[in-house]
Amino acid sequence: MSIVRPFNVEQVRSDFPVLNREVHGKPLVYFDTAASAQRPVAVIEAIDDFYRRHNANVHRGVHSLSQEATDLYEGGRKKLADFINAASDREIVFTRGTTEAINLVAQSFLRPVLNPGDEILVSHMEHHANIVPWQMLCQQTGAVLKVIPINQRGELEIESLPDLLTERVKLVGLVHISNALGTVNPVAEVCRMAKKSGIPVLIDGAQAMPHTPVDVQALGCDFYCLSGHKMYGPTGIGALWAREATLEAMPPWQGGGEMIRRVTFEDTTWNDVPAKFEAGTPHIAGAIGLGAAVDYLSSFDPAEIAVHENTVLEYASQRLQEIEGLRIIGTAHHKAGVISFTLKDVHPHDLGTVIDHYGIALRTGHHCAMPVMQFFGVPATARVSFGLYNTVSEVDALIEALLSAREMFV
Ligand code: C6P
């Protein structure tokens, strides 16, 4: 889709109805986009239109509604394929989100080839979604989970990779942008290094999709996993990208309708990809809404979104440091979208509860990244995360609220 709109944050904000509401009598400041982004009208209307006018199951009916639903559903796949520069829409497997995409790769791609003593390499800054499925796989096969270290800024220690990338490693799993630290990882470089040893790489792109253009072919990865709700689309829908030949070679993961070509009691043959991996009735409205989210994001120049988001991120990083006793966790040179912090003598949960009374939504806890918390010696952090609709004046509101909250606790 061609670029049609110059980026103007006030116009962008008017696309998101929820931003008009108040919380505890204050204008909502939504700083929890990393958990789930808000949805623009275009996405809400695409879903609404599907249920009002086209609702039917896909791929199964000869009647008009079913054909319309199929076209809309497959249209969502095509839009997403183009958005991430997949070679074909057959390379997009719809899943419930990043978590399910990673589990699919673990069980279908890796499990059949894994032997005791083989290794899976992940980084110290992974979300649990890119740790636990591999741990489960290790328990099932006798393989071993190894960890790429990070430094005190929360950056990948890439210089440790040549020693770690031995012939025992059967897959590298790496987060593109860390949800707990905001670190942007050098994923293309890691892919290049792994490729030299013929090791496949899975990228967890959950946090990257809303912030940076993703070109799966240029990255050189083997698997890219994403979630619709992080990129202004619906919940319950996401995708796994892999090359068609890779998907063809993988056995199906779940069995049922849609994923078969012919079933007898003696034997079953599989459907073509990606249907082979989409057993059962899919999240049709989700795929359509995700397509609308792709259209929405594509209607801006990604460079303009990045400039705006970096301005908010840098301004917030500077202003937060004005607060006595505040420690930013994760100070990588290359960051996007996220600032985690602790405030001396104040538990993050208490902070989050008080800040909510100022109408400000931020997240507190371990952010499903407990090993990162352990690395930095904190049980939890408060986290602000930004979307394309956030502004520097919202950051000012946060600073005022934090200063008042600190008065209350100290
Ligand atoms: N992070 C956060 O608040 P799902 O739930 O499958 O859509 O995405 C899981 C996931 C995987 N990887 C990364 C880097 C993520 O950030 C997430 C989701 C949310 O940070 C919920 S814990």
Side-chain angles (χ1 to χ4, degrees):
M1 187 191 239
S2 57
I3 292 159
V4 291
R5 295 174 73 185
F7 187 89
N8 173 312
V9 72
E10 285 312 319
Q11 277 172 18
V12 166
R13 289 178 66 79
S14 68
D15 295 334
F16 291 81
V18 78
L19 299 180
N20 289 325
R21 67 162 285 185
E22 295 191 337
V23 171
H24 298 299
K26 306 266 173 18
L28 167 67
V29 173
Y30 191 74
F31 280 155
D32 200 18
T33 291
S36 204
Q38 294 300 343
R39 280 53 157 167
V41 159
V43 169
I44 298 166
E45 284 181 349
I47 296 167
D48 182 79
D49 180 63
F50 169 68
Y51 283 127
R52 282 179 196 278
R53 302 185 56 234
H54 311 285
N55 182 42
N57 210 331
V58 289
H59 302 143
R60 288 174 191 179
V62 291
H63 63 79
S64 297
L65 251 56
S66 177
Q67 284 174 13
E68 287 168 24
T70 302
D71 288 349
L72 288 165
Y73 176 72
E74 292 301 333
R77 194 190 310 274
K78 176 91 182 72
K79 286 174 188 184
L80 184 62
D82 291 345
F83 192 56
I84 63 172
N85 195 28
S88 124
D89 50 357
R90 288 187 299 280
E91 298 185 341
I92 302 289
V93 177
F94 281 130
T95 62
R96 283 192 294 128
T98 303
T99 305
E100 191 173 63
I102 297 172
N103 277 279
L104 195 167
V105 176
Q107 292 301 320
S108 172
F109 175 76
L110 208 50
R111 188 173 181 176
V113 298
L114 224 50
N115 291 306
D118 284 346
E119 292 176 3
I120 301 162
L121 198 55
V122 297
S123 85
H124 207 124
M125 70 177 91
E126 298 307 316
H127 185 280
H128 298 163
N130 204 21
I131 299 173
V132 183
W134 309 120
Q135 264 172 347
M136 291 164 65
L137 190 55
C138 288
Q139 283 162 10
Q140 288 157 348
T141 61
V144 183
L145 189 66
K146 288 281 175 93
V147 181
I148 312 168
I150 58 174
N151 64 23
Q152 288 299 324
R153 301 179 72 90
E155 293 162 329
L156 201 66
E157 286 198 346
I158 198 158
E159 57 282 4
S160 68
L161 261 185
D163 285 344
L164 288 168
L165 290 171
T166 67
E167 81 273 2
R168 287 189 300 278
V169 177
K170 296 297 177 273
L171 183 127
V172 177
L174 180 63
V175 68
H176 196 160
I177 298 182
S178 157
N179 70 314
L181 306 172
T183 308
V184 181
N185 277 319
V187 283
E189 198 179 338
V190 172
C191 289
R192 260 197 308 279
M193 293 169 86
K195 191 161 273 177
K196 274 195 212 149
S197 311
I199 301 168
V201 180
L202 172 145
I203 303 296
D204 170 351
Q207 297 294 342
M209 290 301 294
H211 297 301
T212 179
V214 170
D215 178 333
V216 287
Q217 299 192 57
L219 282 181
C221 59
D222 297 274
F223 302 99
Y224 199 91
C225 307
L226 59 94
S227 296
H229 69 109
K230 312 275 195 208
M231 49 187 289
Y232 311 105
T235 48
I237 187 82
L240 167 68
W241 169 84
R243 283 179 204 86
E244 198 174 338
T246 307
L247 292 173
E248 292 283 5
M250 286 161 58
W253 180 40
Q254 296 176 329
E258 284 291 299
M259 49 76 72
I260 53 85
R261 190 182 298 288
R262 183 167 184 273
V263 179
T264 66
F265 282 115
E266 288 70 42
D267 192 27
T268 293
T269 51
W270 315 133
N271 206 339
D272 294 334
V273 297
K276 183 171 80 174
F277 296 104
E278 294 180 3
T281 299
H283 186 2
I284 305 165
I288 294 165
L290 180 53
V294 165
D295 282 346
Y296 183 77
L297 274 171
S298 312
S299 72
F300 300 103
D301 177 350
E304 286 195 48
I305 296 180
V307 167
H308 172 75
E309 289 186 351
N310 280 336
T311 304
V312 175
L313 179 72
E314 275 175 27
Y315 182 72
S317 305
Q318 271 171 24
R319 294 243 34 215
L320 283 168
Q321 284 169 60
E322 291 168 13
I323 297 176
E324 210 187 309
L326 189 144
R327 174 187 172 204
I328 293 182
I329 307 285
T331 50
H333 286 108
H334 193 187
K335 280 184 70 166
V338 165
I339 307 176
S340 268
F341 60 93
T342 56
L343 193 54
K344 195 165 178 284
D345 299 328
V346 185
H347 193 281
H349 288 300
D350 297 336
L351 188 66
T353 309
V354 171
I355 293 293
D356 179 57
H357 282 85
Y358 292 84
I360 299 172
L362 52 73
R363 193 171 185 218
T364 60
H366 50 65
H367 316 295
C368 299
M370 282 187 179
V372 181
M373 301 293 127
Q374 288 149 13
F375 178 82
F376 285 100
V378 292
T381 70
R383 181 188 73 182
V384 286
S385 57
F386 309 112
L388 78 181
Y389 35 60
N390 289 122
T391 65
V392 288
S393 48
E394 289 182 312
V395 173
D396 291 334
L398 170 73
I399 301 298
E400 271 180 41
L402 284 172
L403 287 171
S404 312
R406 206 180 49 127
E407 295 288 300
M408 275 174 64
F409 288 110
V410 178

